[in-house]
Amino acid sequence: MAEVKVPTLGESIVEATIGQWLKSEGEAVESGEAIAELETDKVNVEVIAEEAGVLASIVKQAGETVGIGDVIAVIDVGATAAAPAAAGTAAAPSGVTADAGATQQPAAAGTVPAAQPAPAASVAPATPAPLGVRATPSVRRAALEQGVDLSQVQSGRVELAHLAARTPAAPAGGSTASGSAAAAPDANASRPDEERVRMSRRRITIAKRLVEAQHTAAMLTTFNEVDMSAVMDVRKRRKDNFKEKHGVGLGFMSFFTKAVVGALKQFPRLNAEIQGDDMIIKHHYDIGIAVATEGGLVVPVVRDADRLSFAGIEREIASLAARARENKLGIEDLQGGTFTITNGGTFGSLFSTPILNAPQVGILGMHGIVNRPVAVNGQVEIRPMMYIALSYDHRIVDGSEAVRFLVAVKQMIEDPESLLIEG
């Protein structure tokens, strides 16, 4: 037998949640094959079998919290999976002996068969999952207890939560099989038109960290607006040649990343963090780019953004965003950022106050581009305008620094040629 343990998950991560089992008890497992998925506060990690054999037992079920080194399953090394039972027959569960002389007679019409006493300590066999449907032993047992036919479930993985909607309704009259009255409804239960969904570990961690950021930092936000005419003109003229030459589109993020780097060089305390009574001012520029995924917001990091060209930044952002949405980011992709950029404009946001990504002390929020009337040289013109917001930690960043930082970003975006010098 070989124990399957929770692997080391990365710096500062000491526990995880069993997200789902990719194998069920009794299934064959190959060496190097993923058998379970762990949810951490940053990424999801697959647990890989180091030995080939049969998954003998699952020690930790989906939804349970586990620590580094915890045993979550046992593999019977070298064993082979048992062949499925022939049609119409079912193997007796381990430890339970069938009575060879006992036969079950159908009840006469209109009569109720006498209740048969259950053998002491007997265990009801779990219903086998049909071909194409994956269900853990606990799900099979729940299906049997609730009278759910797994053969009627569409192909895919069946979770305990899915069985609730398929549980047969109670008999008319509200009585149970034994004739006793049904239990009173739980006062804390949700209404029929409400759904209770357990938050994922990532969502729980996001919630905790956002609240911590609000409680530990003296967070303020300052705002400005940017005329995007010049950047949009550059993109219009250059985007086709840029994509043909570099194989990636020329987006707004490379302009803002360059502008942020240039502004951070002018105001270095926005590229710092607080450790006790010290400020750690960083002279490297690892810019986090917030990416919305199905599981929640993640912030992968573009390393050494000051050393990358526009094409290099665009390629790195595209790669990180794709891997984030495919849940393929590694722990190292999310650690060590010095400043963050978030773009709510992709979802239509016009104005917002971004929350700090601790322990960073600054975050820039981009928003939607809207044609608005503005005064230009004494004349009213329609220009594509964007509101930008800088949230900062007032413990080490003064208001004047924050305002001038945002003005520097604004000036570089409105004069893209300056990005070649400042960024």
Side-chain angles (χ1 to χ4, degrees), residues 15-199:
E15 63 179 18
T17 299
I18 304 288
Q20 63 174 332
W21 281 98
L22 307 177
K23 291 286 185 178
S24 299
E25 290 182 353
E27 282 194 65
V29 175
E30 297 295 332
S31 177
E33 186 176 13
I35 63 172
E37 188 176 79
L38 300 177
E39 293 180 356
T40 75
D41 55 0
K42 296 180 178 178
V43 295
N44 289 5
V45 179
E46 290 182 336
V47 178
I48 305 300
E50 297 182 357
E51 304 281 354
V54 170
L55 187 59
S57 66
I58 292 175
V59 179
K60 300 289 186 179
Q61 300 297 328
E64 291 191 53
T65 298
V66 294
I68 306 302
D70 285 358
V71 176
I72 60 174
V74 176
I75 293 177
D76 187 355
V77 179
T80 56
T89 66
S94 177
V96 179
T97 304
D99 183 354
T103 58
Q104 184 177 8
Q105 299 296 332
T111 66
V112 178
Q116 299 296 324
S122 65
V123 179
T127 56
L131 185 63
V133 174
R134 293 187 295 164
T136 63
S138 59
V139 171
R140 296 193 190 110
R141 285 193 294 272
L144 181 65
E145 293 168 359
Q146 298 178 23
V148 175
D149 184 0
L150 290 180
S151 66
Q152 302 302 311
V153 179
Q154 293 182 353
S155 296
R157 184 170 183 83
V158 184
E159 303 289 351
L160 285 169
H162 298 164
L163 297 180
R166 297 177 175 271
T167 303
S175 61
T176 61
S178 61
S180 60
D186 183 357
N188 296 322
S190 300
R191 289 173 36 158
D193 56 354
E194 294 178 355
E195 181 181 9
R196 183 183 297 273
V197 179
R198 182 174 177 81
M199 291 193 294

Side-chain angles (χ1 to χ4, degrees), residues 101-356:
T103 58
Q104 184 177 8
Q105 299 296 332
T111 66
V112 178
Q116 299 296 324
S122 65
V123 179
T127 56
L131 185 63
V133 174
R134 293 187 295 164
T136 63
S138 59
V139 171
R140 296 193 190 110
R141 285 193 294 272
L144 181 65
E145 293 168 359
Q146 298 178 23
V148 175
D149 184 0
L150 290 180
S151 66
Q152 302 302 311
V153 179
Q154 293 182 353
S155 296
R157 184 170 183 83
V158 184
E159 303 289 351
L160 285 169
H162 298 164
L163 297 180
R166 297 177 175 271
T167 303
S175 61
T176 61
S178 61
S180 60
D186 183 357
N188 296 322
S190 300
R191 289 173 36 158
D193 56 354
E194 294 178 355
E195 181 181 9
R196 183 183 297 273
V197 179
R198 182 174 177 81
M199 291 193 294
S200 68
R201 172 166 291 274
R202 183 182 300 172
R203 176 56 60 188
I204 292 172
T205 301
I206 289 172
K208 287 181 179 179
R209 289 188 173 175
L210 292 179
V211 171
E212 287 173 2
Q214 297 264 39
H215 287 172
T216 59
M219 192 174 73
L220 293 178
T221 305
T222 185
F223 303 91
N224 213 315
E225 62 179 356
V226 179
D227 185 344
M228 298 294 292
S229 300
V231 166
M232 294 179 73
D233 179 62
V234 170
R235 290 184 69 235
K236 182 178 179 180
R237 290 186 289 107
R238 301 282 187 177
K239 65 178 182 180
D240 292 337
N241 289 337
F242 187 90
K243 187 165 188 177
E244 181 179 348
K245 182 176 181 179
H246 301 290
V248 66
L250 178 60
F252 293 117
M253 289 305 299
S254 53
F255 288 91
F256 275 92
T257 301
K258 284 286 188 181
V260 161
V261 168
L264 289 175
K265 289 179 179 179
Q266 297 178 42
F267 304 96
R269 279 197 288 187
L270 276 151
N271 201 47
E273 67 176 86
I274 298 175
Q275 292 184 6
D277 293 331
D278 298 327
M279 292 186 297
I280 309 300
I281 298 176
K282 303 172 183 180
H283 300 290
H284 55 94
Y285 304 92
D286 299 330
I287 308 301
I289 305 296
V291 178
T293 70
E294 186 176 344
L297 191 73
V298 293
V299 188
V301 179
V302 177
R303 307 285 175 189
D304 298 316
D306 57 318
R307 303 180 185 180
L308 297 177
S309 64
F310 278 76
I313 292 173
E314 292 291 355
R315 277 195 292 264
E316 188 66 10
I317 291 175
S319 174
L320 290 169
R323 282 188 284 146
R325 295 187 179 104
E326 295 169 2
N327 202 26
K328 294 182 178 179
L329 288 175
I331 298 297
E332 65 281 358
D333 294 320
L334 302 167
Q335 294 176 333
T338 62
F339 187 94
T340 294
I341 303 174
T342 180
N343 184 7
T346 57
F347 303 104
S349 173
L350 184 63
F351 207 77
S352 69
T353 55
I355 298 177
L356 291 173

